[in-house]
Amino acid sequence: AVNGSRLWQSLMDMAQIGATPKGGVCRLALTDLDKQGRDLFVRWCEEAGCTVSVDRMGNIFARRPGRDDSLPPVIMGSHLDSQPTGGKYDGVYGVLAGLEVVRSLNDMNYVTEAPVEVAVWTNEEGSRFAPAMVSSGVFAGVFDLDYGLSRADLDGKTMGEELARIGYAGDREVGGRKVGAYFEAHIEQGPILEIEGKTIGVVTDCQGQRWYEITFTGQEAHAGPTPMVRRKDALLGAARVVDAVNRIGMKYGPLACATVGLMQIHPNSRNVIPGRVFFTVDFRHPDDGILAAMDGELRAEVERIAGGIGLETDFQQIWYYAPIKFDESCVAAVRKGVERTGHSFRDIVSGAGHDACYLSKVAPTAMVFIPCIDGISHNEVEETTPEWSTAGCEVLLHAVLDRANA
Amino acid sequence: AVNGSRLWQSLMDMAQIGATPKGGVCRLALTDLDKQGRDLFVRWCEEAGCTVSVDRMGNIFARRPGRDDSLPPVIMGSHLDSQPTGGKYDGVYGVLAGLEVVRSLNDMNYVTEAPVEVAVWTNEEGSRFAPAMVSSGVFAGVFDLDYGLSRADLDGKTMGEELARIGYAGDREVGGRKVGAYFEAHIEQGPILEIEGKTIGVVTDCQGQRWYEITFTGQEAHAGPTPMVRRKDALLGAARVVDAVNRIGMKYGPLACATVGLMQIHPNSRNVIPGRVFFTVDFRHPDDGILAAMDGELRAEVERIAGGIGLETDFQQIWYYAPIKFDESCVAAVRKGVERTGHSFRDIVSGAGHDACYLSKVAPTAMVFIPCIDGISHNEVEETTPEWSTAGCEVLLHAVLDRANA
Ligand SMILES: NC(=O)NCCC(=O)O
Ligand SMILES: NC(=O)NCCC(=O)O
């Protein structure tokens, strides 16, 4: 049994840091607020008797010893960074559910065979620094350390600089150690569990992703005396790509997702034809072949649209990972946890990327989802319930015990 | 005769203030750089023996007395503010050509019957503060003083505050005095004169304008687990309007212009479906009836597009003026100046708005255009030649003498 109200209170306390007027959180990776959130987490872990270490990507590990401390640890975790207008649970829930498992084990004076750790992964959101999940990616050897540290925000500040600035450039090597198992609890961020009235999602797969950065360059000119036919309007090109991206998402639906989330217009003045537009594309699909087909269509559309109005194009795919299947024995451990606790459940494919996706490359991995109201996430109104929160933590506890005592 | 190389040197000197790496100028209205530009102009005018006054909108008037100083002045002028990535000549040319006329009259010890003034109008560009030409509009009684002083930039700073901050909130009443005639010299900002090999454009008309501000509100949500059919993507809506604006411009071509120059996306994060987008529309046409038809189509398109994907709409027309016909006797004075100086010319309709549009409401007004290379303006590469610059100033001198001695 876990202490659900203690977990809920910790969620509410963490949500004070970067709280927004609409009930959400703005705690972008490696800002002063992110440092405050990390400091609070570290204090809580130390109060729970854990030993805390930080690696060179700023990933934090709070360790509770096992009976045989030489065994590879079972790690629970997620992230504390948020979107600019994010919610109180995305990431934070997985971190604090992990902490609640540790606190509950302490309450029971329970000693696991293997050590248990709670991890906080740096810059999971991919909002301030792209791509997402970059530090769990370095941990898993998918990215090298230099790549991770050199990721820059739109102002040119790098993760390496910002880690040093907030005091979280640790000295521990990133990854390179054996992990017994990795479990991540998370809100679903989609509508399925709530629609079907299920409390727990047993996550079997994650869909694949492709992220792109596109810059169109045309020619700045006066909006008044420049005839329509002489224009090279970079925003017109970008707008047509936004529409094409939506068309591609609809065409490969209902499982495809296709989004333009970020756009910067230059010089962004009412009476100047935009000369340069930078924007991003986010494609997702659980089938890698379809994701590749979407990629092909995007490339063709961008070429056609830019060619049609004389724009120069810089087109980069900056991130790709294929759909991921979680470890069968870890998924089974989650399913067993659901059976023991008696919560309703269904198997589910994650629509979002998670640090678990990269951890699965180096450790047996699975995830536990709980519902969120109306399926809304990456929004200040993101909400779940104390009951669901407690249920997910119970399942996490059972799955962890299953593996830590194996 | 005017001193063309002195005029050119002054243009180059002024272009130092806010000079950009690509050879342009960034001197947004009421910034510290705008203050520097104004200070330099005031110093030059005082050195030329003028009396300088500033009104409550920050409009500057440098006065050279006439033989009968009680006669209403003939005013020449334009603006010193620029676009974010503007050129060296847009506005500045009209101001400094006016100053060169004064300097040339001094060289010749020529006393005009009526006084002659050089005016600098505040925030003509409409880039930092919308709409454009706001302070000549207050001078002409088209806007009231409160409206002018309360125009705010995207950070919420008002023109009143910024005028006070840079020391250009003058105490003179805005307008309310008789003006004998107003002449504005300007680069064409379009391609016609250069294509036809003409040195001078005798501006007979200005096309009308309508400016709009539109905000679409949808729902922020996660780009991964949110099915396409559940989305309310504000950027998708805005993108479709950008395409519709272009379609409307093409449909009413070749004289129509239709532009989306500014767009702000919220929260502007790669993996968040945009929940809110603010953008502007700029419509122009020399025929007021067609401008109204364009307006009707825009309203219908915005309603159709927003309705189709469930967006809330805030739609405001924030600026409108009907096409303008300049004063026949002032246009004739320009045409006489062209004949005297022997330059090639054609009559032309201005595609851009100018302070002359509003001055024409309270004074007999006309304009003199000179070509600019490739018709490019509102761009750092904006260029003209010393020969064209001199020619336009010669014509301005003759037109001014014609009216100041009438
Ligand atoms: N869980 C989550 O919101 N991850 C952010 C990365 C993504 O966009 O999938
Ligand atoms: N001349 C000029 O660039 N005016 C700016 C106002 C407009 O966009 O017409």
Side-chain angles (χ1 to χ4, degrees):
Chain A
V2 302
N3 185 335
S5 59
R6 178 170 56 192
L7 168 55
W8 192 257
Q9 188 57 51
S10 294
L11 286 164
M12 294 306 112
D13 290 346
M14 185 60 80
Q16 302 284 313
I17 300 172
T20 61
K22 290 188 191 158
V25 167
C26 176
R27 205 167 49 228
L28 294 174
L30 306 186
T31 55
D32 292 350
L33 290 169
D34 187 18
K35 174 190 162 51
Q36 281 181 43
R38 288 162 172 264
D39 288 351
L40 179 60
F41 170 74
V42 167
R43 179 161 69 73
W44 280 340
C45 291
E46 287 172 347
E47 287 169 2
C50 295
T51 311
V52 175
S53 63
V54 179
D55 73 17
R56 295 181 65 192
M57 285 304 299
N59 299 317
I60 309 172
F61 302 93
R63 182 177 176 103
R64 183 178 191 270
R67 207 194 47 77
D68 179 355
D69 213 41
S70 69
L71 287 172
V74 173
I75 305 185
M76 304 166 281
S78 194
H79 59 97
L80 291 176
D81 68 317
S82 84
Q83 292 287 333
T85 48
K88 296 189 280 290
Y89 310 97
D90 176 0
V92 188
Y93 174 66
V95 171
L96 297 184
L99 175 61
E100 177 51 36
V101 165
V102 166
R103 286 168 166 172
S104 299
L105 293 175
N106 289 347
D107 291 348
M108 300 184 281
N109 290 311
Y110 190 109
V111 181
T112 51
E113 272 297 300
V116 165
E117 295 185 13
V118 186
V120 172
W121 306 103
T122 300
N123 187 50
E124 190 272 350
E125 290 292 355
S127 180
R128 181 172 176 200
F129 304 96
M133 297 135 54
V134 64
S135 306
S136 51
V138 177
F139 186 93
V142 174
F143 304 127
D144 63 29
L145 181 63
D146 284 348
Y147 175 86
L149 294 175
S150 64
R151 293 307 87 210
D153 66 13
L154 294 174
D155 297 329
K157 291 195 186 127
T158 65
M159 286 186 63
E161 287 159 17
E162 288 293 274
L163 277 168
R165 191 184 65 79
I166 67 163
Y168 274 89
D171 47 21
R172 192 168 175 178
E173 190 194 346
V174 187
R177 61 182 173 121
K178 207 163 157 35
V179 176
Y182 179 73
F183 291 102
E184 184 165 348
H186 210 285
I187 56 167
E188 179 196 343
Q189 309 185 282
I192 299 173
L193 293 176
E194 194 189 30
I195 287 174
E196 299 194 2
K198 308 291 191 197
T199 300
I200 299 294
V202 177
V203 187
T204 57
D205 301 78
C206 283
Q207 55 185 352
Q209 293 200 45
R210 288 175 187 267
W211 279 17
Y212 306 86
E213 292 184 353
I214 304 172
T215 303
F216 279 154
T217 306
Q219 185 175 47
E220 285 165 43
H222 197 303
T226 310
M228 298 304 288
V229 293
R230 279 175 76 98
R231 297 178 176 213
K232 293 180 180 175
D233 183 341
L235 180 56
L236 177 63
R240 287 176 176 169
V241 175
V242 170
D243 204 30
V245 162
N246 185 263
R247 227 164 28 235
I248 294 168
M250 289 294 194
K251 171 172 170 185
Y252 291 99
L255 293 181
C257 281
T259 309
V260 177
L262 183 147
M263 189 178 281
Q264 294 183 304
I265 294 97
H266 181 85
N268 218 27
S269 182
R270 295 160 195 256
N271 43 0
V272 183
I273 298 160
R276 193 174 71 243
V277 175
F278 170 84
F279 62 105
T280 62
V281 176
D282 173 322
F283 272 173
R284 319 214 179 186
H285 204 281
D287 178 326
D288 201 35
I290 296 185
L291 198 56
M294 292 166 71
D295 174 86
E297 293 209 17
L298 178 66
R299 288 171 196 271
E301 285 283 25
V302 166
E303 199 177 309
R304 186 185 61 77
I305 289 165
I309 53 178
L311 303 178
E312 280 171 42
T313 304
D314 182 68
F315 183 100
Q316 308 281 348
Q317 179 182 292
I318 62 149
W319 194 35
Y320 162 64
Y321 65 88
I324 278 151
K325 248 202 142 35
F326 286 135
D327 177 74
E328 283 191 15
S329 71
C330 282
V331 172
V334 171
R335 207 173 274 126
K336 241 190 289 177
V338 179
E339 278 157 22
R340 290 236 177 98
T341 54
H343 297 298
S344 59
F345 78 102
R346 61 161 281 167
D347 287 1
I348 193 164
V349 174
S350 174
H354 295 286
D355 296 303
C357 298
Y358 281 145
L359 265 293
S360 75
K361 308 286 182 195
V362 288
T365 294
M367 291 189 76
V368 180
F369 272 2
I370 60 169
C372 60
I373 309 277
D374 290 333
I376 293 294
S377 183
H378 287 191
N379 187 315
E380 290 161 272
V381 305
E382 177 185 277
E383 205 42 87
T384 186
T385 69
E387 294 68 34
W388 291 334
S389 162
T390 305
C393 189
E394 285 168 0
V395 172
L396 179 67
L397 170 68
H398 282 284
V400 166
L401 288 182
D402 185 274
R403 296 297 302 214
N405 294 330
Chain B
V2 302
N3 185 335
S5 58
R6 178 170 56 190
L7 168 55
W8 192 256
Q9 188 57 52
S10 294
L11 285 165
M12 294 306 112
D13 290 347
M14 184 60 81
Q16 301 284 314
I17 300 173
T20 61
K22 290 187 191 158
V25 167
C26 177
R27 204 167 51 227
L28 295 173
L30 307 187
T31 56
D32 291 350
L33 290 168
D34 187 20
K35 174 189 163 52
Q36 281 181 44
R38 288 162 173 263
D39 288 351
L40 179 60
F41 170 74
V42 168
R43 178 161 68 76
W44 281 341
C45 291
E46 287 172 348
E47 286 168 4
C50 294
T51 310
V52 175
S53 63
V54 179
D55 73 18
R56 295 183 64 191
M57 285 304 299
N59 298 317
I60 309 172
F61 303 93
R63 182 177 177 102
R64 184 178 190 271
R67 207 194 45 79
D68 178 355
D69 212 41
S70 68
L71 288 173
V74 173
I75 304 185
M76 305 165 279
S78 194
H79 59 97
L80 291 176
D81 67 319
S82 84
Q83 291 287 332
T85 49
K88 297 190 280 291
Y89 310 95
D90 175 1
V92 187
Y93 175 66
V95 171
L96 298 185
L99 175 61
E100 177 51 37
V101 166
V102 166
R103 286 168 167 172
S104 299
L105 294 175
N106 289 349
D107 290 348
M108 300 183 280
N109 289 314
Y110 190 110
V111 180
T112 52
E113 274 297 300
V116 165
E117 296 186 14
V118 186
V120 172
W121 307 104
T122 300
N123 185 51
E124 190 271 350
E125 289 292 355
S127 181
R128 180 172 176 201
F129 305 96
M133 297 135 55
V134 64
S135 306
S136 50
V138 176
F139 186 93
V142 175
F143 305 126
D144 63 30
L145 182 63
D146 285 347
Y147 175 87
L149 293 175
S150 64
R151 293 309 87 209
D153 67 12
L154 293 175
D155 297 328
K157 291 192 186 131
T158 65
M159 287 186 63
E161 287 158 17
E162 289 293 274
L163 276 168
R165 190 184 65 79
I166 68 163
Y168 274 90
D171 47 20
R172 192 167 176 178
E173 190 194 344
V174 188
R177 60 184 174 120
K178 209 166 154 34
V179 176
Y182 179 74
F183 291 102
E184 184 166 348
H186 210 285
I187 56 168
E188 179 197 343
Q189 309 185 281
I192 299 171
L193 292 176
E194 194 188 31
I195 286 174
E196 299 193 3
K198 308 291 192 197
T199 300
I200 299 293
V202 177
V203 188
T204 57
D205 300 78
C206 283
Q207 55 184 351
Q209 293 201 44
R210 288 176 187 263
W211 279 17
Y212 305 86
E213 292 184 352
I214 304 172
T215 303
F216 278 155
T217 305
Q219 184 175 47
E220 285 165 42
H222 196 304
T226 310
M228 299 304 288
V229 292
R230 280 175 77 98
R231 298 177 175 214
K232 293 179 180 174
D233 183 341
L235 180 56
L236 179 63
R240 287 177 175 167
V241 174
V242 170
D243 203 31
V245 162
N246 185 262
R247 228 167 23 238
I248 294 168
M250 290 292 194
K251 171 171 170 185
Y252 292 98
L255 293 181
C257 281
T259 308
V260 177
L262 183 147
M263 189 178 282
Q264 293 183 304
I265 293 98
H266 181 85
N268 219 27
S269 182
R270 296 160 195 256
N271 44 0
V272 183
I273 298 159
R276 194 174 69 242
V277 176
F278 170 84
F279 62 104
T280 63
V281 176
D282 173 321
F283 273 172
R284 318 214 180 188
H285 203 281
D287 177 327
D288 202 35
I290 296 185
L291 198 56
M294 292 167 70
D295 173 86
E297 293 209 17
L298 178 65
R299 288 171 196 270
E301 285 283 24
V302 166
E303 199 177 308
R304 186 185 62 77
I305 289 165
I309 53 177
L311 303 178
E312 280 171 42
T313 305
D314 183 68
F315 183 100
Q316 309 281 347
Q317 179 182 295
I318 63 150
W319 194 35
Y320 161 64
Y321 65 88
I324 278 153
K325 249 202 144 31
F326 285 135
D327 178 74
E328 283 191 15
S329 70
C330 282
V331 171
V334 171
R335 206 172 274 125
K336 241 191 289 177
V338 178
E339 278 157 22
R340 290 237 178 96
T341 54
H343 297 297
S344 60
F345 78 101
R346 61 162 281 169
D347 287 1
I348 194 164
V349 174
S350 174
H354 295 286
D355 295 304
C357 298
Y358 282 144
L359 265 294
S360 75
K361 308 286 181 193
V362 288
T365 293
M367 291 189 74
V368 180
F369 272 1
I370 60 169
C372 59
I373 309 277
D374 291 333
I376 293 293
S377 182
H378 287 192
N379 187 315
E380 289 161 272
V381 305
E382 176 185 279
E383 205 42 87
T384 186
T385 69
E387 293 69 33
W388 291 334
S389 161
T390 305
C393 188
E394 285 168 1
V395 173
L396 180 66
L397 170 68
H398 282 282
V400 165
L401 288 183
D402 184 272
R403 297 297 303 216
N405 294 330

